[in-house]
């Protein structure tokens, strides 16, 4: 939770002669000290400001700036003095227990702690959760519109494939009424006919998946896929292909099950007479 404060003045951290604490990711520590195991306690200079010295207080894993960015090297350091001088509303951050993080926590905290936090030259001005800040930041940086557009595109293509694939097998099954009636007249059970039709549909899907899978593999090997957010690994490829194949199999089943059930409700003599 972030709490903005109004204040009179702030000290300049650039004027201190002692090194400031810093937290590095493992790969960044390796590039600076050729090891991450003994990096804690060692010092390094700021690349952009040679007068600033930092002492490594901890080494952490790779970090990322938002939910959709890549993990990368990071260094966490205190803000310099000019940041607080130019800041209109300085703030402090508080971490609370998960069970205390309720919807009305900010209102209760503001009501209970306003008088206790009015210590000159500071006083409590506002309370804002990091969840709300994340929503505002994602919207300002275009992440939210991008995710919405991507979801709409995925839904559009899935709906079109659903209508096309299910409609094809629906039309194909309805035009096999006479065949279904003949099989029933010859003594085949409804369950056997239904599973035979489903097996044919899934077999056609499997045969059509072979050239499609070949094209997809060549696209991944040619590096023409979108790899800015994540790497095009073979594990991710297998997971995505499996999910797509399962969704298409469900569409095939939906396009066969219902029209086949309706066709088997018609008496065999009536269906053969219509033909």
């Amino acid at each position: 939770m972030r709490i903005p404060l109004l204040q009179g003045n702030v000290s300049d951290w650039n004027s201190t002669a002692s090194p400031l604490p810093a937290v590095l990711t493992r790969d960044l520590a390796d590039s600076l000290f050729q090891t991450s195991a003994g990096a804690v306690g060692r010092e390094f200079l700021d690349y952009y400001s040679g007068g600033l010295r930092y002492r490594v207080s901890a080494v952490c894993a790779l970090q990322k700036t938002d939910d959709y960015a890549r993990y990368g090297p990071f260094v966490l350091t205190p803000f310099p003095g000019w940041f607080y001088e130019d800041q209109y509303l300085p703030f402090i951050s508080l971490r609370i227990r998960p069970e205390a993080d309720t919807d009305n926590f900010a209102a209760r905290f503001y009501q209970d702690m306003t008088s206790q936090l009015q210590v000159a030259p500071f006083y409590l001005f506002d309370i804002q959760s990091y969840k709300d800040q994340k929503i505002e930041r994602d919207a300002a940086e275009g992440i939210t519109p991008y995710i919405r557009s991507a979801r709409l595109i995925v839904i559009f293509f899935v709906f079109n494939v659903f209508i096309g694939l299910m409609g094809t097998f629906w039309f194909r099954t309805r035009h096999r009424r006479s065949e279904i009636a003949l099989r029933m007249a010859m003594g085949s059970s409804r369950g056997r006919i239904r599973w035979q039709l489903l097996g044919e549909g899934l077999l056609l899907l499997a045969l059509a998946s072979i050239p499609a899978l070949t094209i997809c593999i060549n696209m991944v090997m040619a590096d023409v896929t979108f790899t800015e957010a994540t790497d095009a690994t073979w594990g991710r490829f297998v997971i995505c292909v499996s999910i797509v194949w399962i969704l298409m199999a469900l569409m095939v089943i939906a396009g066969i099950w219902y029209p086949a059930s309706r066709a088997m409700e018609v008496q065999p003599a009536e269906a053969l007479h219509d033909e």
Side-chain angles (χ1 to χ4, degrees), residues 215-235:
I215 295 174
C216 292
I217 292 176
N218 282 275
M219 291 179 63
V220 173
M221 296 181 65
D223 199 19
V224 296
T225 56
F226 179 77
T227 57
E228 292 185 7
T230 183
D231 295 327
T233 60
W234 290 111

Side-chain angles (χ1 to χ4, degrees), residues 52-226:
L52 284 177
R53 292 186 299 116
Y54 296 98
R55 177 180 288 115
V56 180
S57 57
V59 177
C60 63
L62 295 177
Q63 303 292 315
K64 59 180 181 178
T65 55
D66 57 73
D67 292 340
Y68 307 99
R70 283 177 173 269
Y71 284 96
F74 232 75
V75 54
L76 305 176
T77 62
F79 285 119
W82 59 262
F83 176 83
Y84 293 95
E85 293 174 357
D86 296 338
Q87 194 177 21
Y88 178 67
L89 291 178
F91 61 88
I92 60 174
S93 298
L94 298 178
R95 183 176 181 179
I96 61 177
R97 297 191 305 271
E99 56 271 18
D101 189 11
T102 58
D103 295 336
N104 62 340
F105 175 81
R108 291 190 294 104
F109 185 87
Y110 188 87
Q111 181 179 1
D112 298 340
M113 301 298 295
T114 299
S115 58
Q116 302 182 39
L117 294 178
Q118 288 182 349
V119 181
F122 303 96
Y123 66 88
L124 182 61
F125 180 73
D126 189 18
I127 300 176
Q128 187 180 23
S129 67
Y130 275 103
K131 181 179 179 180
D132 296 335
Q133 295 180 55
K134 179 182 181 302
I135 295 175
E136 296 176 359
R137 180 177 179 273
D138 290 346
E141 295 189 359
I143 297 176
T144 302
Y146 173 79
I147 296 301
R148 288 177 180 174
S149 300
R151 287 176 178 174
L152 290 175
I153 292 174
V154 170
I155 293 174
F156 173 77
F157 280 105
V158 169
F159 179 76
N160 278 270
V161 173
F162 173 78
I163 294 298
L165 190 60
M166 189 183 71
T168 300
F169 282 92
W170 191 298
F171 179 82
R172 178 175 176 271
T173 305
R174 287 195 60 184
H175 279 71
R176 299 178 66 181
R177 289 183 57 192
S178 59
E179 178 186 343
I180 295 174
L182 180 60
R183 291 179 181 274
M184 292 180 63
M186 296 297 293
S188 295
S189 63
R190 295 185 177 184
R192 182 176 180 181
I193 295 174
R194 183 182 292 110
W195 286 111
Q196 183 177 357
L197 294 175
L198 291 175
E200 291 178 1
L202 295 177
L203 180 60
L204 289 174
L205 177 62
L207 294 176
S209 301
I210 295 176
L213 188 61
T214 303
I215 295 174
C216 292
I217 292 176
N218 282 275
M219 291 179 63
V220 173
M221 296 181 65
D223 199 19
V224 296
T225 56
F226 179 77

Side-chain angles (χ1 to χ4, degrees), residues 170 173-174 177 180 184 190 194 256-267 271:
W170 191 298
T173 305
R174 287 195 60 184
R177 289 183 57 192
I180 295 174
M184 292 180 63
R190 295 185 177 184
R194 183 182 292 110
I256 294 177
W257 188 279
Y258 183 75
S261 300
R262 291 293 302 272
M264 286 184 290
E265 293 177 358
V266 181
Q267 294 298 325

Side-chain angles (χ1 to χ4, degrees), residues 24-37 39 59:
L24 305 180
T25 52
R26 293 188 181 92
D27 53 349
L28 185 55
D30 288 337
S31 64
L32 288 175
F33 310 113
Q34 286 74 49
T35 178
S36 60
V59 177

